[in-house]
Structures are given as C-alpha cells and as structure tokens.
Amino acid sequence: MQSDVVMIGAGHNGLTCAAYLLKEGYSVTLLEKRSVPGGGATTEELMPQEAPGFLFNRCAIDHEFIHLGPVVEELELKKYGLDYIFCDPVVFCPHPDGKYFLAHKSIDKTCAEIARYSPRDAQKYAEFIDFWQRLLKGITPVFNAPPKSVLDILGNYDLPKLKDLLSVMGAPNKTLDLIRTLLTSAEDMLNEYFDSEFLKAPLARLASEMGVPPSQKNLAIGAIMMAMRHHPGMARPRGGTGALTQALLNLVKSLGGQVLVDQSVEKILIDDGKAVGVRVAGGREYRATKGVISNIDAKRLFLQMVDSAELDDADEHLRERLERRIVNNNETILKIDCALSEAPKFTHHQHQDDYLIGSVLIADSVKQVELAHSEPGIGRIPDADPSFYAVVPTMLDPSMAPPGQHTLWIEFFAPYQIENTQEGLKGTGWTDDLKNKVADRVIDKLAEYAPNLKQSIIARQVESPAELGERLGAYKGNYYHIDMTLEQMVFFRPLPEIANYKTPIKDLYLTGAGTHPGGSISGMPGRNCARVFLQSQQPMAQAFKDMGKSMRSTVGSLFKKD
Ligand SMILES: Cc1cc2nc3c(=O)[nH]c(=O)nc-3n(C[C@H](O)[C@H](O)[C@H](O)COP(=O)(O)OP(=O)(O)OC[C@H]3O[C@@H](n4cnc5c(N)ncnc54)[C@H](O)[C@@H]3O)c2cc1C
C-alpha cells in the first residue's frame, strides 16, 4: 500500500498534522496501534457490563493549550462536530480548615472569593495572574511555530503580542528579572506572592501538572496552568475529549485520509538513507513516497524502530544521546474512573454543584503536593496522604452518563517503576492488588471531603501506570512522551539536533508531545510539523507564503485599534 505520507500513530497531533497535509493535497495513511484512535484523547465506554451508558475520558479532559493556537479555527473543526463548552468556575479546592479556593473564569470574581479570607492575597492574586498572562500572551507566538523557523515565529507577532512581551522584558533590568523569575520554582513564586496555604496549595498542585514537584527550580512557568484557566479559559468538548479526535477523524476522512487501526508499527523502512515506509506487526508494509511522520517520541522511534546501523550511518552520536540525555523522571499517572449514582457533595464546605464544574483539586498543603511529585521520582507511591486532581465531567456535560447519574475522573501521580521490586506488569511492581489498594486510599481521601462518595460508586476501573504505558505505548508511561522540563523545551525538545521536526534520516519527521511545544491537548506539534514538512516539499513557495503572512500580520497590527 502506498501514499505520500505514512503517519505512525493517530493521536490528536498525528491527526492534526495529517489534516494540514491532506488540505494541501498530499495523501496520508495513519497507522494506529490501538483499535481506538486518539491516543491520550479518547472517550470510551469503559465498563459496558457494570455501567452501560457511562462515557469516560481515559486521559485528557481539560483543554487550555488548544485555545492558544489556531488549530480549531483553521481546520474548521466545529463544522466536523466539535463543540467546546467552557468551564466556569474553573477550579475548586477544599481546605481541611473549612476554607476553600474557588476560581471563576473572571479574575475579579476569583479575587472576591479569596478576599473573604485574605484581602492581601486577593490583591496579590490579581498581580500574579496579570504577570503570567502577559508573559503567556507574549510567548504564545513561539508555541505556534517551529522553534527554529524565525520567519514563522515573527509572522505570529502582532502589536498587542509585542506589547505584552515588552511589558515583561522591555528594559534590561526587567529582562534580567524575568529570567530570574523563570529560574525559580513554582513554590518560590507562590511564597513571594502569597501568605495563605488554602491558596498556595492548589496553585502548587496545578503548577505540578508539568510533572515535577513545586520546588523544582527553573519551572516557575508552571504558574501558567492557573493563568490559562482565566484566559483563554478551560474547555471540554461536548461528549468528551474523544469528540475532538472524532472531529479530526471526520475531517481527515472527508479529505481522503486513511486511518487504519490495530496496526502497530515495528520498523521504519529505510532505503539509501531515506525513509520510504514502515512495517507493522504481522509483516505488512506501507510505503511512503514523500515522508514518514512519527506521532511517537524520538526515543521509541529511533531506538525501537530504526535499524541501528542505519541510525549510526545517519548520525553516529544520536543513539547514545537519545538513550542517555533525554530525561524521564519516572512519574506518571494511576487513573481511576468511576460510574456514580449521584455527584459527590462537599458537605463540609457549603456544597454547591458549581464546585464540580471545573477541576477539583485535593491539595491540603504545598508540602503534600511536594511529596506527591517527589516520591514517584524515587519509586515510591505518595498515597499516605494523597493529593490529586479529580473531575466530575457530567456536571458540565450530562450527556456523558445516563440521566441523573455521574462519572468521576481522577488522576493520581505515581511512579512507573516502583523501588526494590521486579514483580507485576513489565517488572514495574504494579499488580492488580496494588493498584486497587492505592485507588482505595485515593477514594478514602476524597470521601473525607465528600462523604457520600463511596456509597455512590456503581463501578470503577483503575489503570496502573504500567497499564497506562502499555495502552499509550509511551516510554515509562510518560503521557508528555518526554519530561516537560526547561532543558527539554522549545529548541531543546527532544534534542537540539532534532528539534525542528526533521531528523538526520531524510524524509523521516517527528511530531507529537515529544516535540515543541510539548504535551497536552494543543495540536500545536502537529500543525508545526506540517509546516516544516510543507516547507521541505516546496521551500521557496512556502517561504514566500510565510513572508507574506508575516508582513500582513505586522501591517495589520500597526493599523489595528486596541
Ligand atoms: C491520565 C491523563 C490525563 C491527562 N489530562 C490532560 C488534560 O486534562 N489536559 C491536557 O491538555 N492533557 C492531558 N493529558 C496529556 C495528553 O493526553 C497528552 O499529552 C496528549 O494526548 C499527547 O498527544 P499526542 O497526539 O502527541 O500523543 P499520543 O496521544 O500519545 O498519541 C500517540 C499515538 O500513537 C499510537 N502509537 C504508539 N505506538 C505506536 C506504534 N508502534 N504503532 C502505531 N501507533 C502507535 C498511540 O496508540 C497513540 O494513539 C493527560 C494524560 C493522561 C495520561
């Protein structure tokens, strides 16, 4: 079977990339190892026997990053069935002393909530969010372009974005101070701004979504996880995250793209230093005349699918650099999905159903969050006093469960490899017994806040970190493909020499969470990779197109009223 491009994996980035190529007239075949496309962006009826009609987001649920880029509009995904519902409130975090943090989409309303307990922290919150939002707006153009394509990056800047950037790094001392800020940790920043634990703990919890403890230096940028919930906001596709995948599938198929499931790619076919296709489990080959694009990370691609002699011929150092220089810190997720007869009620915190619209964070203290993210790194399970992220998706979107009933989504950060054991799946230490014991502790903790929880559970499914890794095919279960630490971001992701979606093997490209700007639901790696592919097909024509776009946006912004 032959097409212009073969895509390894049909995650949302692979599908996004394919959609852009199909729109430009290239034929694309996507090969997906699971029977359900979407990777970390699926919605599935997990327990059809015990809980028919309950739909679960197996991974991603809250979408922020995708609203910082043009993918939804450019691909007209609404026309293909995508309907985003924005959350408001966006965060609820009950505190053991009876206080709670309730964040609305509006910063003013959020400040009013905080002011009930601390007028000073409320004022500082507005300053904190304002700073991170200006920085975020100032750097968003970098996310939406290949990191080494200067023209593309410049073309994304208009006057308001330049103003935002200059407002955080205008004068020399301002720039130095910004660098200083970026070198600090989320915890340092939170201590600099705030006094109250009921506020610092949930902000630390969200910053740790980067996959590191709040004390990790160089990752103060984790603060954008809260800033984004105010602007551009946090949304969920109606029907679940899988509805984003479905809209992309509808588009890809309408343009003639082929998505073949149960096709696990095992080998990249290379001829004379050039990628010409792939072989899947079972031996079938798919040929590509213009390129092979990988939606899986560089480490898996090169170390498991490329013949070592061919890799060494292309770059004699790459194998060792992939093996030893790319960082995966052993932290991943134990996922709990429950079908509920009724929604949890936070009775100790003057329950309102509105609390359950956004993310529910269990974060009693910064220290608890610190342990939640430092213990997995050394192979320990932080379940003595669990901190985690939960959602009741059916409160915003009742279509995901039978009438009046609910679902519960919990992500609990846990080690992939448990220390001092070789038991369980893949020798990770994860057995059915262990994952269920850990899940029991997590549920017990949530039930301290929502006492009706346990009696309302109709059925539950627990997926261990090892099982998650197997499902996604992700190295050490890393759903960001590689860690999201500063030294692996932008033109360092995954390594400087392969950071612009191209690789030393001709016609072999990289996309997905393991490339710039990284993990989460954004479609940006897919879109950026498509641009690089298209530029490599018609370098001059594409360069002129990009230059024209850059000039139009610059001129447009000069004459645009703010
Ligand atoms: C529990 C959990 C919760 C999350 N929550 C959020 C959230 O709320 N918001 C958010 O923005 N992000 C969240 N994420 C992260 C997000 O889901 C991922 O970063 C994102 O889905 C990555 O997309 P991708 O397309 O780059 O890669 P993937 O989704 O990993 O897609 C890669 C695809 O390749 C396929 N594949 C792998 N190996 C092969 C092979 N050999 N042959 C063929 N196909 C193969 C996989 O099956 C998969 O379909 C969460 C992740 C997890 C695990």
Side-chain angles (χ1 to χ4, degrees):
M1 191 171 193
Q2 180 169 304
S3 49
D4 293 333
V5 174
V6 167
M7 179 74 65
I8 306 170
H12 84 287
N13 276 311
L15 285 161
T16 300
C17 184
Y20 280 100
L21 302 189
L22 286 156
K23 274 167 75 88
E24 293 297 320
Y26 293 89
S27 59
V28 185
T29 301
L30 295 100
L31 303 172
E32 167 55 44
K33 93 174 163 62
R34 288 192 70 213
S35 53
V36 181
T42 66
T43 301
E44 299 171 45
E45 193 186 19
L46 273 184
M47 297 169 267
Q49 305 299 324
E50 310 96 298
F54 289 82
L55 298 174
F56 299 92
N57 292 314
R58 296 197 70 181
C59 292
I61 184 158
D62 289 331
H63 301 197
E64 302 96 7
F65 286 97
I66 198 166
H67 306 293
L68 294 174
V71 166
V72 174
E73 289 74 26
E74 275 178 359
L75 295 181
E76 299 178 284
L77 292 181
K78 238 179 155 172
K79 246 173 61 183
Y80 295 90
L82 179 63
D83 175 19
Y84 266 114
I85 325 173
F86 277 81
C87 299
D88 193 8
V90 287
V91 173
F92 169 69
C93 179
H95 198 254
D97 69 2
K99 295 192 190 97
Y100 58 88
F101 173 57
L102 183 63
H104 300 266
K105 186 163 189 306
S106 148
I107 299 166
D108 287 347
K109 273 175 85 176
T110 308
C111 290
E113 297 278 359
I114 299 168
R116 290 184 303 129
Y117 307 119
S118 168
R120 182 195 169 275
D121 277 358
Q123 192 200 326
K124 294 305 279 183
Y125 185 83
E127 286 172 29
F128 180 80
I129 296 296
D130 176 61
F131 170 79
W132 288 103
Q133 287 206 328
R134 279 184 289 124
L135 178 66
L136 183 63
K137 286 180 195 163
I139 60 172
T140 297
V142 180
F143 296 165
N144 284 304
K148 292 183 182 169
S149 303
V150 178
L151 262 184
D152 256 15
I153 295 176
L154 292 178
N156 285 342
Y157 274 98
D158 59 11
L159 209 54
K161 289 185 192 107
L162 273 176
K163 274 190 196 161
D164 281 320
L165 191 63
L166 290 175
S167 76
V168 288
M169 57 179 297
N173 282 342
K174 230 183 202 177
T175 309
L176 289 174
D177 208 49
L178 171 66
I179 295 170
R180 189 184 187 286
T181 298
L182 295 177
L183 293 176
T184 62
S185 67
E187 186 184 17
D188 294 336
M189 282 298 286
L190 295 173
N191 287 335
E192 182 182 335
Y193 276 84
F194 307 116
D195 294 329
S196 313
E197 200 68 19
F198 86 92
L199 176 59
K200 287 196 273 188
L203 297 186
R205 167 76 271 145
L206 283 178
S208 297
E209 287 290 304
M210 304 291 280
V212 293
S215 67
Q216 168 100 21
K217 295 286 181 187
N218 305 341
L219 272 182
I221 190 121
I224 63 168
M225 301 305 277
M226 187 64 229
M228 280 192 299
R229 281 168 162 75
H230 294 295
H231 181 85
M234 183 174 91
R236 300 182 196 139
R238 191 181 301 281
T241 289
L244 167 65
T245 296
Q246 192 55 51
L248 285 164
L249 283 168
N250 294 344
L251 168 60
V252 161
K253 288 181 183 169
S254 77
L255 293 168
Q258 289 212 66
V259 184
L260 306 178
V261 295
D262 299 313
Q263 303 290 320
S264 184
V265 174
E266 287 188 340
K267 191 168 173 54
I268 310 297
L269 304 174
I270 296 171
D271 188 9
D272 202 14
K274 191 172 138 177
V276 293
V278 303
R279 184 179 306 137
V280 298
R284 186 152 188 199
E285 294 188 351
Y286 294 87
R287 296 272 157 179
T289 53
K290 295 196 165 25
V292 173
I293 304 181
S294 169
N295 188 183
I296 65 170
D297 66 88
K299 210 162 168 163
R300 280 183 285 160
L301 175 73
F302 287 106
L303 301 183
Q304 293 171 14
M305 298 179 182
V306 174
D307 183 83
S308 44
E310 271 155 343
L311 177 56
D312 294 345
D313 275 354
D315 180 337
E316 58 176 327
H317 304 295
L318 190 56
R319 179 210 314 276
E320 184 159 334
R321 283 169 61 75
L322 289 163
E323 261 167 10
R324 292 178 176 266
R325 198 157 168 84
I326 290 186
V327 179
N328 274 295
N329 72 3
N330 197 40
E331 176 177 305
T332 178
I333 291 174
L334 178 134
K335 179 76 193 318
I336 306 170
D337 287 296
C338 300
L340 304 179
S341 58
E342 62 176 4
K345 290 212 170 355
F346 287 81
T347 39
H348 311 308
H349 293 82
Q350 300 117 51
H351 177 83
Q352 299 166 31
D353 282 349
D354 260 12
Y355 294 169
L356 305 179
I357 295 285
S359 332
V360 176
L361 306 178
I362 298 303
D364 296 348
S365 65
V366 176
K367 183 177 171 197
Q368 184 204 31
V369 178
E370 178 70 23
L371 288 172
H373 288 275
S374 54
E375 292 204 329
I378 51 170
R380 295 190 187 152
I381 305 168
D383 61 347
D385 181 23
S387 164
F388 50 93
Y389 184 138
V391 182
V392 182
T394 38
M395 198 49 88
L396 184 71
D397 182 0
S399 75
M400 296 179 71
Q405 299 187 309
H406 289 275
T407 59
L408 174 65
W409 175 109
I410 300 177
E411 66 174 17
F412 173 69
F413 292 89
Y416 178 77
Q417 176 68 53
I418 299 171
E419 65 174 351
N420 305 327
T421 175
Q422 299 292 310
E423 282 179 7
L425 188 58
K426 299 253 156 190
T428 56
W430 285 104
T431 58
D432 279 355
D433 188 40
L434 180 63
K435 75 176 183 185
N436 280 306
K437 275 189 186 139
V438 175
D440 287 344
R441 285 191 201 118
V442 172
I443 298 277
D444 282 348
K445 177 75 188 185
L446 190 53
E448 285 174 19
Y449 288 106
N452 69 328
L453 175 64
K454 286 198 209 168
Q455 80 218 26
S456 71
I457 298 177
I458 299 167
R460 81 173 188 194
Q461 177 172 289
V462 182
E463 188 177 49
S464 75
E467 290 167 328
L468 178 86
E470 288 299 286
R471 170 162 63 92
L472 293 178
Y475 187 73
K476 277 190 170 181
N478 193 331
Y479 42 88
Y480 294 149
H481 293 189
I482 65 171
D483 281 2
M484 295 275 280
T485 38
L486 200 59
E487 83 288 358
Q488 296 193 145
M489 301 294 260
V490 202
F491 27 69
F492 306 124
R493 191 170 186 84
L495 288 169
E497 62 269 38
I498 47 173
N500 224 42
Y501 311 98
K502 284 187 172 178
T503 76
I505 293 175
K506 195 168 178 313
D507 291 352
L508 180 60
Y509 298 81
L510 282 170
T511 184
T515 61
H516 169 75
S520 296
I521 300 299
S522 74
M524 291 168 181
R527 178 177 179 269
N528 291 346
C529 175
R531 293 178 80 79
V532 168
F533 175 87
L534 295 171
Q535 278 159 6
S536 70
Q537 300 301 306
Q538 295 173 306
M540 289 306 284
Q542 197 64 32
F544 279 123
K545 209 167 151 186
D546 291 342
M547 209 183 300
K549 188 184 150 243
S550 164
M551 283 168 67
R552 271 196 307 280
S553 96
T554 310
V555 172
S557 70
L558 286 174
F559 295 100
K560 194 167 116 190
K561 287 192 183 132
D562 292 333

